[in-house]
Amino acid sequence: VNPDSDWKFSTAAVLSTGTEILQGLYADTNARFLAEKLSAAGITVTAVAAAPDNPIELEKTFSHLVGRADLVICTGGLGPTEDDVNRDVFSRVLGVGLVLDDASVEAMRERFRMRGREMLDSNKVQAMLPAGCTVFANNWGTAPGFFVPARLTGKAALVALPGPPSEMIPMFNQFVAPLLLECSGGRSCVLTRTIHTFGRPESLINDQVRDLFRRDPDMIYTVLAKPHGVDIRITAHKSGAQAAESAVAELVEATRQRVGPDIIYGFDDMQLQDAVGLLLLEKQKTVTAAESCTGGLIAKLLTDVSGSSGYLKESWVVYSNDAKTRLLGVRAETLEKHGAVSRGVAIEMAAGALERAGSDYALSVTGIAGPLGGTPEKPVGLTYIGFAERGKPTRVERFLFSGNREQNRLQSALNALDWLRRELLGNAP
Ligand code: ATP
């Protein structure tokens, strides 16, 4: 392959083939993998599509994509069976005939021999490849992949790979990835930074950063609502690492000015619990938790972080009323008068945990995670988070979450952790 003439693409389309994908029987993870790799190589992905193993439908979709991108990367449909129609469709649409590739036949025969089996004649069809293509040997399965350059088709170039990810991914890495790097000639540099925020709705953040979306045509700026808060992802496609770095840094700074520094808890791989852990270590403070509806999720998140023994010594899961009283000293009157999900109980849980652990901070959570247990006065999602700090009055906040059980529990734990983060920053909500 001559990278100068054959591997020069600025746009690509990804096509996954297999009727099962369109029936929802498995998730199209190939498309996700390829779209990410192509984008990271500085190639703009203009379409991601899926088509069934039906020659008419496949031909329609494939022809459409061939007209929409410099390169089409297609996975699946290279098997030996009747429904593996891709080779024929590629040949028709691209106007390149199929020829038997002897080296591929030999490689397949050898693979069967090593497994003590005889290759069937029907397998030979897998070695019928577009004339003049570059063959990608399949060391992980049977069907070879291939590359048909645009100079042979007069249209888009084609990369075809087998469907099973266990074959597609290593073949992509071995044959396609190095050439994609060359394809950008080392000129294009793609850099992505993700800003993580917590505590502000997506729509409000969107309003605050509205003018940043289309500031620079070489940048992609997106706002994404995630379970752990709202992420802002900034991607730069620039000529050279330095240009990309400074373009990203400039947009990060502009974002920080608009949303305010306190709701940003980290970048890229950093999670809320990492940010909290770093602050606790820096300020040499310890924390504990008293958890009812979260069942230990706060402690789990805190201890996800290596080195968390530096700030978490112990923690409680107090699910029943009896446990709340016996382990943390929550008063029977408070439970009787206000119920387990109440301000008073959240306060006494946090205060009891703080005292028993001898920590600097204690977080407590009591709530109705659902789906059962809600009443008109105390609906599903109602949650009280308590916050105790050595030498200060214990405080409590009321939340009403609207998710399912798992989401409500996660939001409870994250809000408790974020409260602690803001206190540690000296920026209480
Ligand atoms: P083979 O040579 O094994 O017949 P093939 O190229 O014909 O491979 P398919 O028959 O289309 O591939 O797919 C085989 C299996 O690979 C599917 O049943 C599925 O489990 C997995 N697979 C195929 N395409 C995808 C995809 N886009 N994402 C995730 N998994 C996939």
Side-chain angles (χ1 to χ4, degrees):
V1 176
N2 174 352
D4 282 336
S5 57
D6 288 344
W7 288 82
K8 245 188 181 172
F9 314 112
S10 53
T11 58
V14 176
L15 174 58
S16 304
T17 61
T19 303
E20 293 154 293
I21 298 175
L22 288 104
Q23 291 172 330
L25 294 178
Y26 57 81
D28 182 0
T29 56
N30 286 356
R32 182 183 165 175
F33 173 87
L34 292 170
E36 196 213 322
K37 294 290 178 192
L38 289 162
S39 302
I43 296 169
T44 305
V45 178
T46 52
V48 172
D53 306 311
N54 163 329
I56 297 167
E57 288 303 326
L58 179 62
E59 185 161 338
K60 277 195 245 170
T61 306
F62 182 59
S63 311
H64 175 70
L65 295 179
V66 159
R68 286 203 56 191
D70 304 332
L71 168 70
V72 179
I73 297 197
C74 183
T75 65
L78 299 182
T81 56
E82 282 303 307
D83 59 2
D84 291 305
V85 297
N86 292 33
R87 280 174 294 263
D88 293 334
V89 170
F90 296 153
S91 164
R92 263 203 307 282
V93 173
L94 298 177
V96 180
L98 298 176
V99 291
L100 190 69
D101 180 57
D102 293 328
S104 295
V105 176
E106 273 325 297
M108 287 194 295
R109 206 185 295 285
E110 178 60 15
R111 195 176 163 82
F112 275 94
R113 201 185 56 75
M114 274 166 55
R115 294 171 157 201
R117 283 163 52 196
E118 190 70 22
M119 188 178 98
L120 297 175
D121 244 14
S122 59
N123 279 103
K124 267 193 179 176
V125 71
Q126 294 184 272
M128 290 294 291
L129 306 180
C133 72
T134 302
V135 181
F136 301 148
N138 187 344
N139 297 317
W140 300 269
T142 315
F146 50 87
F147 169 66
V148 189
R151 75 183 144 75
L152 291 184
T153 69
K155 302 171 188 153
L158 167 69
V159 165
L161 296 169
S166 57
E167 301 172 32
M168 189 282 288
I169 293 174
M171 286 174 77
F172 177 89
N173 288 337
Q174 182 178 352
F175 299 108
V176 184
L179 290 162
L180 285 184
L181 275 186
E182 288 190 39
C183 143
S184 65
R187 276 168 284 110
S188 161
C189 179
V190 181
L191 184 71
T192 295
R193 178 132 314 140
T194 305
I195 305 174
H196 301 295
T197 73
F198 193 87
R200 191 168 296 163
E202 186 189 17
S203 51
L204 192 53
I205 291 189
N206 188 63
D207 283 351
Q208 293 178 312
V209 298
R210 197 178 284 281
D211 65 307
L212 302 181
F213 280 86
R214 271 170 284 277
R215 216 194 221 196
D216 179 339
D218 295 336
M219 311 281 288
I220 302 171
Y221 191 93
T222 45
V223 175
L224 311 145
K226 300 272 178 166
H228 54 254
V230 174
D231 284 352
I232 298 163
R233 192 176 301 138
I234 300 170
T235 303
H237 291 245
K238 293 280 180 187
S239 49
Q242 196 149 17
E245 275 289 351
S246 63
V248 167
E250 197 247 327
L251 264 186
V252 167
E253 187 45 38
T255 305
R256 198 199 295 271
Q257 279 170 17
R258 285 178 187 55
V259 301
D262 58 316
I263 74 150
I264 296 174
Y265 66 79
F267 295 88
D268 300 330
D269 292 337
M270 181 172 282
Q271 297 184 291
L272 187 57
Q273 57 268 35
D274 298 307
V276 170
L278 283 176
L279 284 166
L280 286 165
L281 285 178
E282 184 190 311
K283 310 222 173 222
Q284 302 204 341
K285 300 285 187 191
T286 56
V287 65
T288 189
E291 304 184 61
S292 186
C293 64
T294 43
L297 185 54
I298 295 177
K300 189 265 176 198
L301 291 172
L302 283 168
T303 56
D304 276 347
V305 183
S306 169
S308 48
S309 60
Y311 44 82
L312 181 97
K313 310 289 176 205
E314 65 215 90
S315 194
W316 285 267
V317 178
V318 282
Y319 216 51
S320 68
N321 285 357
D322 168 59
K324 291 179 178 70
T325 302
R326 190 162 35 83
L327 295 173
L328 295 176
V330 175
R331 289 175 305 157
E333 304 97 271
T334 316
L335 285 160
E336 262 160 44
K337 197 164 163 204
H338 304 288
V341 178
S342 61
R343 289 180 179 274
V345 168
I347 288 192
E348 289 181 24
M349 283 169 68
L354 187 82
E355 191 213 309
R356 281 160 175 75
S359 55
D360 298 300
Y361 298 99
L363 305 169
S364 71
V365 179
T366 178
I368 300 159
L372 303 176
T375 63
E377 303 80 54
K378 292 190 178 179
V380 167
L382 176 69
T383 304
Y384 291 97
I385 296 179
F387 187 96
E389 180 178 357
R390 188 143 300 284
K392 294 205 178 155
T394 298
R395 286 164 285 161
V396 64
E397 281 286 334
R398 178 184 186 274
F399 294 82
L400 189 58
F401 301 118
S402 55
N404 60 27
R405 183 174 180 83
E406 192 189 337
Q407 291 164 334
N408 290 341
R409 282 152 52 107
L410 180 63
Q411 289 312 313
S412 303
L414 292 175
N415 275 279
L417 287 179
D418 195 58
W419 190 345
L420 176 58
R421 182 185 70 86
R422 291 186 201 213
E423 292 287 342
L424 286 162
L425 284 174
N427 212 337

